[in-house]
Amino acid sequence: MVAGNWKMNKTFQEAEELISELIQEFEKSEHGCDVVICPPALYLEMASDYSNDSGVMAIGAQNVSEYEKGAYTGEISAPMLASMDVSYCIVGHSERRKYFGETDKQIALKIERLLENAISPIFCCGELLEEREAERHFEVVEKQIEEALFHFGEEEFSNIIIAYEPVWAIGTGKTATPEQAQEMHAFIRRVITNKYGEQVAENTTILYGGSCNAKNAKELFANPDVDGGLIGGASLIAKDFVTIANSF
Ligand code: PGA
């Protein structure tokens, strides 16, 4: 799978242009993976209309409320997303943890709301630079996964996608090496095996995110435990994003 996280970029007109360009390119290309785009929430309806017509990509949101409905000014609920044909939602991105103070507890609630509404969460985890330098990266990622996900039963867990995004690699141009990505992805799969067994772990999609681009995607995706990418900056350029989707 490749998922494009547009973050807070593009006006409506620019977003519409990018989506039509992507659809044209994907209709021509032979990509053998699932493609998801996660535009800003305001554009989800437009993106859903395009994706329903073409069938070449699915639509994801970048965030969801931990509450189901009610007096929560400015929030968007999981039932609202489901009613717009949104099939995925990014949760626990490091930017949300850092700038909006999201906690593991809130992230767990958001995931519950999504699963109740048949939306697959794309759960982000990853260590800070100082945590890697202190060789605490495995411990940090394991704790994030345990706290946000491990209260779910096997069936619910099997709808969750994991994105390993080392924080030091996001938007910095400093990609993890293919070895570093493989090592962490294999570790995450082991952690899942210990909790849910080998079958569930084998079937879990684990994406890599953090300065993944048209040049390095092939090398990253060639690793046995890297099942695709969560792409930020490079998903804003149609040609680059299509090249990434064709990198398997
Ligand atoms: P980046 O962002 O590809 O721009 O590093 C990835 C992400 O934050 O999901």
Side-chain angles (χ1 to χ4, degrees):
M1 168 185 286
V2 291
N5 175 10
W6 290 14
K7 309 192 181 182
M8 197 173 72
N9 291 296
K10 305 279 179 195
T11 62
F12 182 82
Q13 287 74 16
E14 290 165 351
E16 197 167 19
E17 241 167 71
L18 176 54
I19 291 179
S20 8
E21 218 182 312
L22 284 170
I23 287 176
Q24 270 176 17
E25 293 285 336
F26 279 123
E27 279 174 345
K28 296 193 292 217
S29 85
E30 295 275 304
H31 64 284
C33 68
D34 292 330
V35 176
V36 182
I37 57 161
C38 306
L42 266 180
Y43 311 150
L44 288 171
E45 184 183 5
M46 178 267 288
S48 281
D49 286 346
Y50 272 91
S51 101
N52 287 339
D53 288 347
S54 76
V56 292
M57 56 172 74
I59 303 301
Q62 297 176 15
N63 186 27
V64 66
S65 172
E66 70 226 60
Y67 304 107
E68 199 184 332
K69 66 172 181 178
Y72 300 104
T73 303
E75 289 290 275
I76 294 176
S77 72
M80 291 176 189
L81 295 179
S83 71
M84 304 289 248
D85 293 330
V86 168
S87 356
Y88 297 90
C89 182
I90 299 169
V91 194
H93 192 283
S94 62
E95 287 152 15
R96 299 232 36 108
R97 294 178 195 256
K98 179 176 172 194
Y99 302 123
F100 304 97
E102 265 183 29
T103 61
D104 286 326
K105 175 89 188 105
Q106 277 175 305
I107 292 164
L109 289 171
K110 288 176 183 224
I111 294 174
E112 278 175 33
R113 299 292 84 75
L114 291 171
L115 292 173
E116 284 161 5
N117 287 279
I119 298 172
S120 292
I122 302 177
F123 169 75
C124 302
C125 55
E127 79 284 358
L128 304 169
L129 182 60
E130 56 265 34
E131 291 166 339
R132 180 163 278 266
E133 284 172 350
E135 292 183 10
R136 291 185 52 234
H137 43 297
F138 292 119
E139 176 198 325
V140 167
V141 169
E142 183 171 15
K143 186 166 170 283
Q144 288 171 337
I145 292 176
E146 270 173 10
E147 295 204 348
L149 307 183
F150 277 5
H151 59 292
F152 292 112
E154 194 179 307
E155 210 182 307
E156 288 169 308
F157 183 84
S158 59
N159 292 307
I160 298 171
I161 290 157
I162 295 184
Y164 168 57
E165 299 205 308
V167 179
W168 45 271
I170 297 177
T172 57
K174 235 179 125 191
T175 322
T177 63
E179 294 73 28
Q180 285 171 323
Q182 169 56 28
E183 189 186 30
M184 181 59 87
H185 284 226
F187 171 77
I188 293 172
R189 221 180 283 283
R190 274 201 303 281
V191 168
I192 300 170
T193 305
N194 293 340
K195 170 78 183 171
Y196 296 103
E198 212 159 300
Q199 185 74 35
V200 173
E202 271 310 305
N203 290 336
T204 303
T205 299
I206 309 176
L207 308 177
Y208 168 79
S211 300
C212 179
N213 58 38
K215 290 206 176 88
N216 59 29
K218 219 183 186 85
E219 238 190 329
L220 286 160
F221 298 171
N223 290 290
D225 287 297
V226 179
D227 303 316
L230 179 55
I231 318 298
S235 72
L236 298 170
I237 303 157
K239 278 205 161 27
D240 286 3
F241 190 58
V242 173
T243 304
I244 294 169
N246 287 334
S247 299
F248 288 93

